[in-house]
Amino acid sequence: MDLFCSAGGASAGYYRAGFDVVGVDIESQPNYMFAFHRADAVTFPLDGFDIVAGSPPCQGYSGMSNCRPGLAGEYPQLIDVMRERLQAWGGPWILENVAGSGLAEQDDLFGANGVLLCGTMFGRELYRHRLFETSFPVAAPSHPRHLKPASKAGHWKPGTVISVAGNCAPIRLAREVMDIAWMTREELSESIPPYYSEYLGLSFFAALKAGAAA
Ligand SMILES: C[S@@+](CC[C@H](N)C(=O)[O-])C[C@H]1O[C@@H](n2cnc3c(N)ncnc32)[C@H](O)[C@@H]1O
């Protein structure tokens, strides 16, 4: 189950890892490619699913919101609500968001599992940090240094790393570095590259095999 699925960047990676995927989003998602329910992820029933992933809106937490005063306040902060919901549900889970959201960024002494993923960890020219808190252990890949400058969103030039945010351009390059051929600019800028969620899905299977998954 992929809650807050949008146009399915994360879902595509879970599918590639070997899962059958069902998505839930409060908006209709014409570009979503798996079974889909238009519904509220905070209340959608989770019975019968083997694992639940969720990526609540990040605008309430994102540093980008600092550029537009008031923007953060317009978005609900759903991380704590969803963590409590998934813990109460009792199966294995993955929650994704940005720095500042309060998600664990690494394993901690209180038993949380967290990992930060970046495109560079997968050999991609993409600086996109996302935090994943999970109910099972995930190894942190090594994080290459960001040696090239990042472009400003919408103003890529050769020799810089494209920022997939806002009105990202050129869309061909944004789609290539995200490994997502089917999304609009707006969908791309909200999305998780499928290779992140594929890595998490495969980490789940490894944890299951090792007897380390909830
Ligand atoms: C950051 S995007 C998710 C991106 C997606 N994981 C991907 O990789 O493409 C957040 C999505 O949450 C949806 N959303 C916001 N509030 C919601 C709610 N209460 N229930 C379900 N979906 C919601 C938005 O419509 C948006 O599509």
Side-chain angles (χ1 to χ4, degrees):
M1 160 58 60
D2 189 16
L3 300 171
F4 310 89
C5 63
S6 189
S11 292
Y14 295 127
Y15 176 78
R16 288 180 197 173
F19 294 92
D20 292 328
V21 184
V22 177
V24 166
D25 201 285
I26 208 152
E27 305 290 347
S28 74
Q29 298 294 343
N31 291 333
Y32 190 73
M33 70 297 271
F34 303 106
F36 176 74
H37 298 272
R38 186 172 181 184
D40 190 340
V42 178
T43 51
F44 191 83
L46 304 177
D47 318 327
F49 290 99
D50 293 320
I51 177 166
V52 178
S55 29
C58 62
Q59 291 91 338
Y61 304 104
S62 168
M64 298 288 279
S65 304
N66 297 337
C67 309
R68 277 187 47 201
L71 183 63
E74 288 171 25
Y75 288 88
Q77 300 198 334
L78 294 175
I79 294 294
D80 291 343
V81 175
M82 291 308 298
R83 188 194 285 109
E84 270 176 37
R85 179 159 199 233
L86 294 173
Q87 284 173 339
W89 170 62
W93 53 266
I94 300 170
L95 269 182
E96 176 272 342
N97 223 271
V98 294
S101 62
L103 283 182
E105 169 163 355
Q106 55 190 11
D107 296 354
D108 71 20
L109 295 172
F110 305 102
N113 299 298
V115 67
L116 177 151
L117 297 181
C118 174
T120 57
M121 295 171 169
F122 301 91
R124 303 279 176 162
E125 206 160 80
L126 177 70
Y127 303 154
R128 193 172 187 80
H129 289 180
R130 292 294 181 270
L131 308 184
F132 295 86
E133 189 172 319
T134 53
S135 65
F136 54 90
V138 177
S142 70
H143 193 178
R145 289 180 63 197
H146 295 189
L147 295 173
K148 268 194 195 176
S151 67
K152 282 195 190 134
H155 298 277
W156 176 79
K157 38 181 200 261
T160 67
V161 173
I162 189 170
S163 299
V164 183
N167 189 23
C168 57
I171 191 167
R172 178 199 53 76
L173 182 58
R175 285 177 172 154
E176 186 183 310
V177 295
M178 295 284 284
D179 197 18
I180 291 176
W182 64 92
M183 287 191 191
T184 63
R185 285 196 166 84
E186 199 177 315
E187 290 167 344
L188 277 169
S189 67
E190 290 223 337
S191 187
I192 296 168
Y195 43 88
Y196 289 15
S197 43
E198 181 178 9
Y199 178 75
L200 294 161
L202 294 175
S203 300
F204 171 69
F205 286 130
L208 205 57
K209 212 167 161 190

